[in-house]
Amino acid sequence: MDTPAFARLPEPPYYAVIFSSQRTEGDDGYDAMAERMVELAAAQPGFLGIESTRDTQGFGITVAYFDTTESIAAWKANAEHRQAQAMGHRSWYEHFELRIARVERAYSKTSRGQPR
Amino acid sequence: MDTPAFARLPEPPYYAVIFSSQRTEGDDGYDAMAERMVELAAAQPGFLGIESTRDTQGFGITVAYFDTTESIAAWKANAEHRQAQAMGHRSWYEHFELRIARVERAYSKTSRGQPR
């Protein structure tokens, strides 16, 4: 099965930025920004992968993976990303939670297949 | 704003179980199991909170938070949870990724409000 939604990551350890958010109503430029941020994140040094989903109620979780906390700090400080963060605070999100975590173990499974 | 989708967590450090999955088609008992597993997880010693979302394509991310890796191991070994895991492997998921991570930092923001 083609599973483009899943990040293919190296063996741990690495770092996860876990971002959960409740969208406000209306697009207001959000979709284009979200697409651009994924593109921009993927171009950052130390970026490893990203997984993202949002339900019909506007509640979403995005997990971006990086090699080190230094790479995460650099991504946070990226100028274009900072503009998007400001718009997120101001307009796009009712509420969000951001958690930085060190991934220590990982497992994977494809149905009726072997673990990778 | 009422934000029941968000977990209210203590200050880090604590642990995250990041579970991303692609559902197979059809319910096949999935929704009832998922609801029961959230209830069961919440009753585990060391459980801190859970956030979960799935898009219309069946791609979902659930992050469950626990105080220690020992609590996560006990949850993994729970008998009723093990039955659900077996059904997940066999029927409910095309593919999944499971990552265990230590949350080191956390931020929170409500629109037009103060950071909590």
Side-chain angles (χ1 to χ4, degrees):
Chain A
M1 184 204 175
D2 185 26
T3 53
F6 292 96
R8 298 291 184 112
L9 302 176
E11 290 296 304
Y14 46 80
Y15 283 84
V17 181
I18 307 168
F19 181 74
S20 56
S21 64
Q22 178 63 50
R23 282 277 287 117
T24 48
E25 289 188 22
D27 183 69
D28 196 21
Y30 177 78
D31 283 352
M33 176 286 296
E35 201 169 308
R36 172 63 185 149
M37 285 306 112
V38 169
E39 185 182 292
L40 196 61
Q44 294 296 303
F47 173 86
L48 299 176
I50 190 166
E51 294 177 352
S52 189
T53 185
R54 187 174 302 280
D55 67 21
T56 54
Q57 306 302 302
F59 181 69
I61 300 177
T62 296
V63 190
Y65 294 96
F66 290 88
D67 57 354
T68 63
T69 53
E70 289 73 18
S71 294
I72 292 171
W75 167 231
K76 185 182 178 190
N78 174 282
E80 192 175 340
H81 186 204
R82 285 181 65 89
Q83 290 185 337
Q85 289 169 46
M87 276 296 287
H89 284 230
R90 199 180 314 127
S91 311
W92 289 321
Y93 301 118
E94 284 285 343
H95 183 85
F96 69 73
E97 301 280 341
L98 182 68
R99 299 171 181 115
I100 312 289
R102 182 179 188 273
V103 177
E104 299 181 346
R105 285 181 295 147
Y107 312 89
S108 177
K109 176 75 165 56
T110 295
S111 179
R112 291 172 292 277
Q114 297 300 312
R116 292 200 266 117
Chain B
M1 187 206 173
D2 186 23
T3 52
F6 293 95
R8 297 293 184 113
L9 303 176
E11 290 295 305
Y14 47 80
Y15 283 83
V17 181
I18 307 168
F19 181 74
S20 56
S21 63
Q22 178 63 50
R23 283 276 287 114
T24 48
E25 289 189 21
D27 183 69
D28 196 22
Y30 177 79
D31 283 353
M33 175 286 295
E35 202 170 307
R36 172 63 184 148
M37 285 306 113
V38 169
E39 187 182 289
L40 196 62
Q44 293 297 301
F47 173 86
L48 299 177
I50 191 166
E51 296 177 350
S52 189
T53 186
R54 188 174 301 280
D55 66 22
T56 54
Q57 306 302 305
F59 181 70
I61 300 177
T62 296
V63 190
Y65 295 97
F66 290 88
D67 58 353
T68 62
T69 53
E70 289 74 19
S71 294
I72 292 171
W75 167 232
K76 185 183 178 188
N78 175 281
E80 191 175 340
H81 186 205
R82 286 181 64 89
Q83 290 184 337
Q85 289 168 46
M87 275 296 287
H89 284 232
R90 197 179 317 126
S91 310
W92 288 322
Y93 301 118
E94 285 285 343
H95 183 86
F96 67 75
E97 302 280 341
L98 183 69
R99 299 173 181 115
I100 314 288
R102 182 178 188 271
V103 178
E104 300 181 344
R105 285 181 296 148
Y107 311 90
S108 178
K109 176 72 166 55
T110 295
S111 179
R112 294 173 291 278
Q114 296 301 310
R116 295 198 264 115

